[in-house]
Amino acid sequence: MQRPVAMIAGLGAAVPSTVITNADLEARLDTSDQWIVDRTGIRERRVLQPGEALSDLFVTASRDALAKAGLDFSAIQAVICGTCTPDRRLPSTACDVQAKLGGGPAAAFDVVAACPGWLYSLTVAEGLIATGTYDRILVLGGDRVSSIVDQQDRGTAVLFGDGGGAAVVTRSTGGRGILGTSLGADGSLAELLYIPAGGSTEPPSDKVLAEGGLYVKMAGREVFKVAVRRMAQACQEVLDRAGVTADQVKLLVPHQANLRIITATAAEAGVPMDKVVVNVDRYGNTSAGSIPLALAEAERDGRLTAGDLVLLVSFGAGFTWGAVLLRW
Ligand code: ACO
């Protein structure tokens, strides 16, 4: 097994205070609590309100992560933010968070990889530490998915929520940290989960707005099938690379898209459900926020012990997917 070069030295997470329950959705959409719970396992989700920003969640999560790592923000050399719902088109949300935490000169940039955005960002941070470029990196992951979902579309509105997390990633000590990563993508399947317009090809316009072109379009069943297959493959790949078997994994933290996807992925990956972190019932799918939120919750609940093997896996629009194996 390779010795890790980078580790998570501190972890934090944050969600908005506004809760939207299935009963709230029943009141304004042609849906039911039973349909949502049976098909997804989701009971409620959090959403940001006007005047609140995704970067505010990142600031809260970052302060927590920095405190746990025993570091001041001035020690951070780079801020990497996995998000597909930046506060604004320019600058990056990493720059906005950096400004709110005290300003430069740490490098700051966003990574657009949808739901696996935090795992992609973690992998970039590991590389920057491995090459000796930096020693202390703030890795953010989260989304304001409510801003890209048509709240009148029952097929998507019930699935998503807002949230984010942060990790302070430093040079590894004591054998802790990232043992392996496996990232992948298949852009040829993009149109199974995408936003048709609003980019440089078709900028926002009255026509785009009227046609709902700024909202997520999703072929749910197709996404489901590819998600399970790709996440199970990514788990196997990262375990094989590290020379570890599934029964050695103490905790699996899968992307919280849907309880049925989580259950199917865990079964294919050979990890029993008592070793799987599930909080999709309370937050829905928070995209790139999903894994840091679940991991931070596992830490808070005492489910992470030093030396444990922890497997993270995610899948999202692109399609993109990724798995990361950690020694906690
Ligand atoms: N309430 C009630 N009925 C609904 C709702 C709703 N909220 N949404 C859809 N339906 C109806 C459909 O219209 C359809 O009705 P019909 O039979 O009369 O045509 C029926 O329910 C079945 O619809 P399906 O889409 O076939 O239902 P399915 O069992 O596939 O479940 C779901 C839908 C939950 C979206 C599922 O396909 C899924 O979870 N897919 C993965 C989606 C996902 O997780 N995407 C994000 C992952 S990637 C990322 O995180 C970015």
Side-chain angles (χ1 to χ4, degrees):
M1 199 185 296
Q2 99 183 33
R3 279 194 70 76
V5 296
M7 68 172 190
I8 294 176
L11 193 60
V15 289
S17 54
T18 304
V19 178
I20 305 287
T21 63
N22 290 350
D24 295 328
L25 295 175
E26 273 177 344
R28 63 176 170 82
L29 287 173
D30 180 17
T31 190
S32 67
D33 174 55
Q34 189 173 352
W35 191 97
I36 300 171
V37 172
D38 287 352
R39 306 277 175 135
T40 72
I42 300 167
R43 294 181 185 278
E44 59 185 46
R45 67 288 292 144
R46 305 293 185 101
V47 295
L48 287 161
Q49 294 300 303
E52 298 175 335
L54 179 64
S55 58
D56 298 332
L57 297 182
F58 285 136
V59 167
T60 305
S62 298
R63 291 203 169 114
D64 199 13
L66 285 161
K68 286 185 188 142
L71 288 176
D72 188 78
F73 180 68
S74 58
I76 294 295
Q77 298 158 306
V79 181
I80 307 175
C81 181
T83 189
C84 59
T85 53
D87 277 11
R88 37 192 180 166
R89 290 286 302 275
L90 276 175
S92 67
T93 296
C95 281
D96 279 335
V97 174
Q98 188 231 50
K100 289 183 179 183
L101 287 170
F109 58 96
D110 288 359
V111 169
V112 183
C115 302
W118 193 66
L119 298 187
Y120 266 67
S121 300
L122 210 53
T123 304
V124 172
E126 183 203 24
L128 288 166
I129 289 175
T131 55
T133 307
Y134 298 126
D135 290 321
R136 294 169 300 279
I137 303 177
L138 186 61
V139 180
L140 312 171
D143 276 296
R144 184 177 193 155
V145 195
S146 62
S147 68
I148 53 170
V149 164
D150 178 357
Q151 298 302 328
Q152 304 309 314
D153 172 16
R154 68 176 183 173
T156 51
V158 304
L159 304 176
F160 297 99
D162 303 337
V168 173
V169 178
T170 63
R171 205 159 280 286
S172 169
T173 56
R176 290 186 56 202
I178 299 173
L179 295 171
T181 67
S182 166
L183 303 180
D186 185 353
S188 69
L189 299 177
E191 267 129 54
L192 295 176
L193 178 57
Y194 77 122
I195 297 176
S200 57
T201 303
E202 200 174 353
S205 65
D206 289 346
K207 178 174 168 286
V208 163
L209 273 178
E211 290 171 352
L214 301 182
Y215 292 130
V216 167
K217 312 288 176 213
M218 182 180 75
R221 281 187 176 232
E222 286 71 16
V223 173
F224 194 113
K225 284 183 227 154
V226 187
V228 172
R229 181 162 52 87
R230 287 302 188 184
M231 283 199 282
Q233 281 172 353
C235 287
Q236 197 54 54
E237 224 169 82
V238 82
L239 293 179
D240 288 348
R241 279 181 196 166
V244 167
T245 51
D247 57 307
Q248 293 175 274
V249 170
K250 283 283 165 52
L251 206 62
L252 172 66
V253 185
H255 176 46
Q256 307 287 310
N258 175 319
L259 186 55
R260 289 188 301 148
I261 295 183
I262 293 171
T263 310
T265 303
E268 292 232 359
V271 179
M273 281 306 285
D274 61 341
K275 292 183 176 175
V276 180
V277 178
V278 176
N279 67 7
V280 69
D281 49 321
R282 279 165 290 132
Y283 303 118
N285 180 347
T286 57
S287 185
S290 162
I291 295 201
L293 265 176
L295 190 61
E297 204 164 278
E299 183 182 44
R300 191 199 64 200
D301 294 345
R303 294 185 76 183
L304 292 169
T305 305
D308 279 358
L309 289 179
V310 180
L311 181 56
L312 318 175
V313 65
S314 185
F315 178 88
F319 289 140
T320 52
W321 56 86
V324 172
L325 182 68
L326 300 171
R327 185 174 296 286
W328 196 253

